[in-house]
Amino acid sequence: MKILSTVASVHSRKHAGGRCVLVPTMGALHKGHLELIRVAREHAGRNGEVAVSIFVNPLQFEPGSDFEKYPRPEKSDEDFCRDAEVDLLFRPLPSEMYAEDRSIYIEEVSLSEALCGRSRPGHFRGVCTVVAKLFNILSPDAAVFGEKDFQQLAIIRRMVRDLNFKLDIISAPTVREEDGLAYSSRNQYLSVEERKQATILRRALLAGFDRTKAGEKSAKAMVDLVREMIAQAPLARIDYVDLVDAETLQTRDMVEPNSLLALAVLFGKTRLIDNIQLP
Ligand code: AMP
Protein backbone atom coordinates (compact mmCIF):
# COMPACT_ATOMS: atom_id res chain seq x y z
CA MET A 1 0.00 0.00 0.00
CA LYS A 2 1.26 3.44 -0.98
CA ILE A 3 0.85 6.17 1.63
CA LEU A 4 0.97 9.67 0.16
CA SER A 5 0.46 13.01 1.81
CA THR A 6 1.06 15.55 -0.93
CA VAL A 7 -0.96 16.48 -3.99
CA ALA A 8 2.15 16.38 -6.19
CA SER A 9 2.97 12.81 -5.18
CA VAL A 10 -0.58 11.70 -5.97
CA HIS A 11 -0.48 13.40 -9.36
CA SER A 12 2.77 11.69 -10.27
CA ARG A 13 1.79 8.23 -9.00
CA LYS A 14 1.70 5.34 -11.38
CA HIS A 15 -0.92 2.71 -11.06
CA ALA A 16 -1.29 -0.43 -13.04
CA GLY A 17 -4.21 0.94 -15.03
CA GLY A 18 -7.80 -0.11 -14.58
CA ARG A 19 -10.34 1.86 -12.62
CA CYS A 20 -9.51 4.02 -9.64
CA VAL A 21 -12.24 4.01 -6.98
CA LEU A 22 -12.01 6.48 -4.10
CA VAL A 23 -13.41 6.16 -0.57
CA PRO A 24 -13.25 9.58 1.13
CA THR A 25 -13.20 9.39 4.96
CA MET A 26 -12.19 11.31 8.04
CA GLY A 27 -10.46 8.25 9.50
CA ALA A 28 -11.07 6.46 12.82
CA LEU A 29 -12.00 3.66 10.47
CA HIS A 30 -14.69 1.11 11.36
CA LYS A 31 -16.82 -1.58 9.75
CA GLY A 32 -18.89 0.99 7.86
CA HIS A 33 -15.75 2.23 6.11
CA LEU A 34 -14.68 -1.38 5.51
CA GLU A 35 -17.90 -2.00 3.60
CA LEU A 36 -17.21 1.06 1.44
CA ILE A 37 -13.72 -0.29 0.72
CA ARG A 38 -15.22 -3.68 -0.19
CA VAL A 39 -17.66 -2.03 -2.60
CA ALA A 40 -14.80 0.04 -4.03
CA ARG A 41 -12.79 -3.13 -4.72
CA GLU A 42 -15.79 -4.73 -6.38
CA HIS A 43 -15.98 -1.78 -8.77
CA ALA A 44 -12.22 -1.36 -9.27
CA GLY A 45 -11.53 -5.03 -9.91
CA ARG A 46 -8.35 -6.89 -8.93
CA ASN A 47 -6.17 -4.74 -11.18
CA GLY A 48 -7.82 -1.48 -10.38
CA GLU A 49 -6.82 0.97 -7.66
CA VAL A 50 -8.74 1.35 -4.40
CA ALA A 51 -7.83 4.68 -2.84
CA VAL A 52 -8.86 5.80 0.65
CA SER A 53 -8.46 9.38 1.76
CA ILE A 54 -8.25 10.28 5.43
CA PHE A 55 -8.68 13.96 6.08
CA VAL A 56 -10.35 15.61 9.04
CA ASN A 57 -11.63 18.56 7.07
CA PRO A 58 -11.60 21.73 9.16
CA LEU A 59 -13.97 23.42 6.69
CA GLN A 60 -16.91 21.17 7.54
CA PHE A 61 -16.75 21.64 11.32
CA GLU A 62 -18.72 24.52 12.74
CA PRO A 63 -16.96 26.75 15.28
CA GLY A 64 -17.10 25.14 18.71
CA SER A 65 -17.67 21.61 17.38
CA ASP A 66 -15.43 18.58 17.79
CA PHE A 67 -12.74 19.33 15.17
CA GLU A 68 -9.88 19.40 17.70
CA LYS A 69 -10.91 16.27 19.53
CA TYR A 70 -12.04 14.26 16.49
CA PRO A 71 -10.20 10.89 16.80
CA ARG A 72 -7.05 10.56 14.66
CA PRO A 73 -5.67 7.05 15.27
CA GLU A 74 -3.06 7.20 12.51
CA LYS A 75 -1.30 3.90 13.07
CA SER A 76 -4.40 1.76 13.47
CA ASP A 77 -6.05 3.43 10.44
CA GLU A 78 -2.95 2.61 8.42
CA ASP A 79 -3.06 -1.05 9.54
CA PHE A 80 -6.79 -1.13 8.86
CA CYS A 81 -6.25 0.00 5.26
CA ARG A 82 -3.40 -2.45 4.72
CA ASP A 83 -5.52 -5.33 6.04
CA ALA A 84 -8.36 -4.24 3.76
CA GLU A 85 -5.97 -4.37 0.79
CA VAL A 86 -6.26 -0.71 -0.03
CA ASP A 87 -3.78 0.30 -2.77
CA LEU A 88 -3.39 3.98 -1.95
CA LEU A 89 -3.89 5.86 1.30
CA PHE A 90 -3.97 9.62 0.80
CA ARG A 91 -3.48 11.43 4.10
CA PRO A 92 -2.77 15.13 3.59
CA LEU A 93 -2.27 17.81 6.24
CA PRO A 94 -4.69 20.75 6.28
CA SER A 95 -1.85 22.99 5.04
CA GLU A 96 -1.52 20.78 1.95
CA MET A 97 -5.24 21.08 1.20
CA TYR A 98 -5.90 24.74 1.97
CA ALA A 99 -3.86 27.79 1.11
CA GLU A 100 -4.16 30.48 3.76
CA ASP A 101 -5.64 32.89 1.23
CA ARG A 102 -8.04 30.37 -0.33
CA SER A 103 -11.10 32.09 -1.71
CA ILE A 104 -13.10 29.50 -3.63
CA TYR A 105 -15.81 27.31 -2.10
CA ILE A 106 -18.40 25.02 -3.58
CA GLU A 107 -21.87 25.51 -2.24
CA GLU A 108 -25.00 23.52 -2.96
CA VAL A 109 -27.93 25.76 -2.12
CA SER A 110 -31.06 23.63 -2.09
CA LEU A 111 -30.61 20.16 -0.57
CA SER A 112 -28.19 21.65 1.96
CA GLU A 113 -30.96 23.72 3.54
CA ALA A 114 -32.82 20.66 4.82
CA LEU A 115 -32.21 18.21 7.71
CA CYS A 116 -28.65 18.60 9.10
CA GLY A 117 -28.14 21.85 7.18
CA ARG A 118 -30.45 23.66 9.61
CA SER A 119 -28.26 23.01 12.63
CA ARG A 120 -24.88 22.83 10.85
CA PRO A 121 -24.55 26.02 8.81
CA GLY A 122 -21.63 25.83 6.38
CA HIS A 123 -21.16 22.11 6.92
CA PHE A 124 -22.11 20.98 3.43
CA ARG A 125 -20.16 23.83 1.85
CA GLY A 126 -17.12 22.38 3.60
CA VAL A 127 -18.01 18.87 2.45
CA CYS A 128 -18.57 19.86 -1.20
CA THR A 129 -15.38 21.89 -1.30
CA VAL A 130 -13.18 19.11 0.08
CA VAL A 131 -14.82 16.36 -1.97
CA ALA A 132 -14.43 18.39 -5.18
CA LYS A 133 -10.76 18.87 -4.31
CA LEU A 134 -10.29 15.14 -3.64
CA PHE A 135 -11.91 14.38 -7.00
CA ASN A 136 -9.51 16.78 -8.71
CA ILE A 137 -6.47 15.46 -6.84
CA LEU A 138 -7.09 11.72 -7.29
CA SER A 139 -9.09 11.74 -10.57
CA PRO A 140 -11.07 8.64 -9.57
CA ASP A 141 -13.39 6.88 -12.00
CA ALA A 142 -15.83 6.34 -9.15
CA ALA A 143 -16.24 7.22 -5.49
CA VAL A 144 -18.17 5.40 -2.76
CA PHE A 145 -20.29 7.11 -0.08
CA GLY A 146 -22.42 5.65 2.71
CA GLU A 147 -26.20 5.91 2.95
CA LYS A 148 -25.82 6.67 6.65
CA ASP A 149 -24.99 10.21 5.54
CA PHE A 150 -27.94 10.25 3.17
CA GLN A 151 -28.04 14.02 2.75
CA GLN A 152 -24.30 14.15 2.02
CA LEU A 153 -24.71 11.45 -0.63
CA ALA A 154 -27.59 13.36 -2.27
CA ILE A 155 -25.59 16.61 -2.26
CA ILE A 156 -22.49 14.98 -3.76
CA ARG A 157 -24.60 13.42 -6.50
CA ARG A 158 -26.06 16.86 -7.21
CA MET A 159 -22.59 18.45 -7.27
CA VAL A 160 -21.32 15.81 -9.70
CA ARG A 161 -24.34 16.32 -11.94
CA ASP A 162 -24.36 20.11 -11.84
CA LEU A 163 -20.59 20.58 -12.23
CA ASN A 164 -20.08 17.73 -14.72
CA PHE A 165 -17.52 15.81 -12.71
CA LYS A 166 -16.60 12.77 -14.75
CA LEU A 167 -17.05 9.93 -12.27
CA ASP A 168 -19.67 7.57 -10.91
CA ILE A 169 -21.03 7.97 -7.41
CA ILE A 170 -21.73 4.64 -5.77
CA SER A 171 -23.72 4.28 -2.55
CA ALA A 172 -23.25 1.64 0.14
CA PRO A 173 -25.83 0.63 2.77
CA THR A 174 -25.42 1.52 6.44
CA VAL A 175 -23.46 -0.99 8.48
CA ARG A 176 -24.69 -1.49 12.04
CA GLU A 177 -23.59 -2.99 15.31
CA GLU A 178 -25.52 -6.05 16.44
CA ASP A 179 -27.94 -3.96 18.46
CA GLY A 180 -28.72 -1.77 15.45
CA LEU A 181 -26.64 1.34 16.20
CA ALA A 182 -24.98 2.56 13.00
CA TYR A 183 -21.19 2.47 13.17
CA SER A 184 -19.77 5.96 13.49
CA SER A 185 -16.38 7.34 14.43
CA ARG A 186 -18.26 9.45 16.98
CA ASN A 187 -19.74 6.44 18.84
CA GLN A 188 -16.53 6.25 20.87
CA TYR A 189 -17.46 9.56 22.53
CA LEU A 190 -20.54 7.92 24.11
CA SER A 191 -20.52 6.97 27.79
CA VAL A 192 -21.63 3.43 28.62
CA GLU A 193 -25.10 4.66 29.51
CA GLU A 194 -25.41 6.89 26.43
CA ARG A 195 -24.28 4.00 24.24
CA LYS A 196 -27.00 1.79 25.74
CA GLN A 197 -29.68 4.40 25.18
CA ALA A 198 -28.52 5.18 21.62
CA THR A 199 -30.05 1.91 20.42
CA ILE A 200 -33.41 3.70 20.59
CA LEU A 201 -32.60 5.47 17.29
CA ARG A 202 -32.72 2.36 15.14
CA ARG A 203 -35.67 0.95 17.07
CA ALA A 204 -37.62 4.18 16.58
CA LEU A 205 -36.88 4.25 12.83
CA LEU A 206 -37.93 0.61 12.50
CA ALA A 207 -41.16 1.37 14.38
CA GLY A 208 -41.79 4.13 11.81
CA PHE A 209 -41.07 1.70 9.00
CA ASP A 210 -43.53 -0.84 10.46
CA ARG A 211 -46.19 1.83 10.93
CA THR A 212 -45.90 2.75 7.25
CA LYS A 213 -46.21 -0.88 6.27
CA ALA A 214 -49.36 -1.05 8.37
CA GLY A 215 -50.79 1.75 6.23
CA GLU A 216 -50.00 4.99 8.12
CA LYS A 217 -50.08 7.91 5.68
CA SER A 218 -49.65 10.90 7.96
CA ALA A 219 -46.08 12.17 8.17
CA LYS A 220 -46.90 13.96 11.42
CA ALA A 221 -48.11 10.73 13.02
CA MET A 222 -44.87 9.05 11.97
CA VAL A 223 -42.66 11.83 13.27
CA ASP A 224 -44.62 11.95 16.55
CA LEU A 225 -44.20 8.20 16.97
CA VAL A 226 -40.44 8.41 16.48
CA ARG A 227 -40.14 11.43 18.78
CA GLU A 228 -42.15 9.73 21.54
CA MET A 229 -39.99 6.64 21.36
CA ILE A 230 -36.77 8.63 21.53
CA ALA A 231 -38.14 10.67 24.44
CA GLN A 232 -38.11 7.43 26.45
CA ALA A 233 -34.30 7.64 26.46
CA PRO A 234 -33.63 10.26 29.15
CA LEU A 235 -30.17 11.16 27.81
CA ALA A 236 -31.39 11.79 24.25
CA ARG A 237 -31.95 15.34 22.99
CA ILE A 238 -33.62 15.47 19.58
CA ASP A 239 -32.16 17.86 17.00
CA TYR A 240 -34.66 16.84 14.34
CA VAL A 241 -36.90 14.02 13.19
CA ASP A 242 -38.18 14.63 9.68
CA LEU A 243 -39.99 12.78 6.95
CA VAL A 244 -38.75 14.00 3.58
CA ASP A 245 -38.82 13.24 -0.11
CA ALA A 246 -35.67 11.18 -0.72
CA GLU A 247 -34.88 13.16 -3.92
CA THR A 248 -35.54 16.75 -2.90
CA LEU A 249 -35.15 16.30 0.90
CA GLN A 250 -38.21 18.56 1.29
CA THR A 251 -40.49 17.79 4.25
CA ARG A 252 -43.60 15.84 3.27
CA ASP A 253 -47.08 15.94 4.81
CA MET A 254 -47.95 12.47 3.61
CA VAL A 255 -45.97 9.26 3.36
CA GLU A 256 -45.55 8.63 -0.36
CA PRO A 257 -43.27 6.34 -2.32
CA ASN A 258 -39.61 7.35 -2.03
CA SER A 259 -39.93 8.84 1.45
CA LEU A 260 -37.04 9.01 3.90
CA LEU A 261 -37.37 9.14 7.67
CA ALA A 262 -34.27 10.84 9.04
CA LEU A 263 -33.10 12.01 12.44
CA ALA A 264 -30.29 13.65 14.36
CA VAL A 265 -30.13 13.16 18.12
CA LEU A 266 -27.64 14.38 20.69
CA PHE A 267 -26.38 12.26 23.55
CA GLY A 268 -24.44 14.71 25.66
CA LYS A 269 -22.32 16.56 23.08
CA THR A 270 -22.32 13.61 20.66
CA ARG A 271 -24.58 14.14 17.68
CA LEU A 272 -25.73 10.92 16.00
CA ILE A 273 -27.62 10.66 12.71
CA ASP A 274 -29.53 7.83 11.12
CA ASN A 275 -32.25 7.31 8.53
CA ILE A 276 -34.47 4.71 6.92
CA GLN A 277 -36.08 4.59 3.50
CA LEU A 278 -39.77 3.84 3.85
CA PRO A 279 -41.53 1.05 1.96
P1 AMP B 1 -16.72 9.68 7.80
O1 AMP B 1 -15.35 9.13 7.99
O2 AMP B 1 -17.61 9.55 9.00
O3 AMP B 1 -16.72 11.06 7.19
O4 AMP B 1 -17.41 8.76 6.71
C1 AMP B 1 -16.79 8.46 5.49
C2 AMP B 1 -17.75 7.68 4.64
O5 AMP B 1 -18.14 6.49 5.33
C3 AMP B 1 -19.04 8.43 4.32
O6 AMP B 1 -19.40 8.15 2.96
C4 AMP B 1 -20.03 7.83 5.27
O7 AMP B 1 -21.36 7.87 4.79
C5 AMP B 1 -19.54 6.40 5.34
N1 AMP B 1 -20.00 5.75 6.57
C6 AMP B 1 -19.85 6.20 7.84
N2 AMP B 1 -20.44 5.35 8.72
C7 AMP B 1 -20.99 4.36 7.98
C8 AMP B 1 -21.76 3.19 8.30
N3 AMP B 1 -22.06 2.88 9.55
N4 AMP B 1 -22.15 2.40 7.28
C9 AMP B 1 -21.84 2.72 5.99
N5 AMP B 1 -21.13 3.80 5.63
C10 AMP B 1 -20.71 4.62 6.60
Side-chain angles (χ1 to χ4, degrees), residues 261-273:
L261 189 53
L263 54 77
V265 173
L266 285 140
F267 287 86
K269 283 189 175 164
T270 308
R271 188 172 177 281
L272 301 180
I273 58 171

Side-chain angles (χ1 to χ4, degrees), residues 24-27 30 32-33 36 70 145-146 148-149 152 173-175 183:
T25 81
M26 298 204 301
H30 52 63
H33 298 118
L36 268 53
Y70 197 86
F145 292 85
K148 185 176 91 76
D149 299 83
Q152 169 174 281
T174 303
V175 182
Y183 279 100

Side-chain angles (χ1 to χ4, degrees), residues 93-135:
L93 289 172
S95 55
E96 180 69 11
M97 292 295 273
Y98 296 118
E100 272 187 23
D101 61 347
R102 67 181 180 275
S103 52
I104 301 277
Y105 297 90
I106 296 197
E107 189 163 15
E108 192 285 331
V109 296
S110 170
L111 304 170
S112 305
E113 298 291 304
L115 303 175
C116 291
R118 292 196 196 106
S119 43
R120 304 192 71 186
H123 170 69
F124 290 112
R125 182 171 93 145
V127 170
C128 284
T129 302
V130 80
V131 170
K133 285 168 69 71
L134 291 168
F135 289 172

Side-chain angles (χ1 to χ4, degrees), residues 6-7 10-11 13 90 97 132-140:
T6 65
V7 174
V10 173
H11 279 164
R13 82 195 186 279
F90 178 53
M97 292 295 273
K133 285 168 69 71
L134 291 168
F135 289 172
N136 283 334
I137 293 165
L138 288 134
S139 307

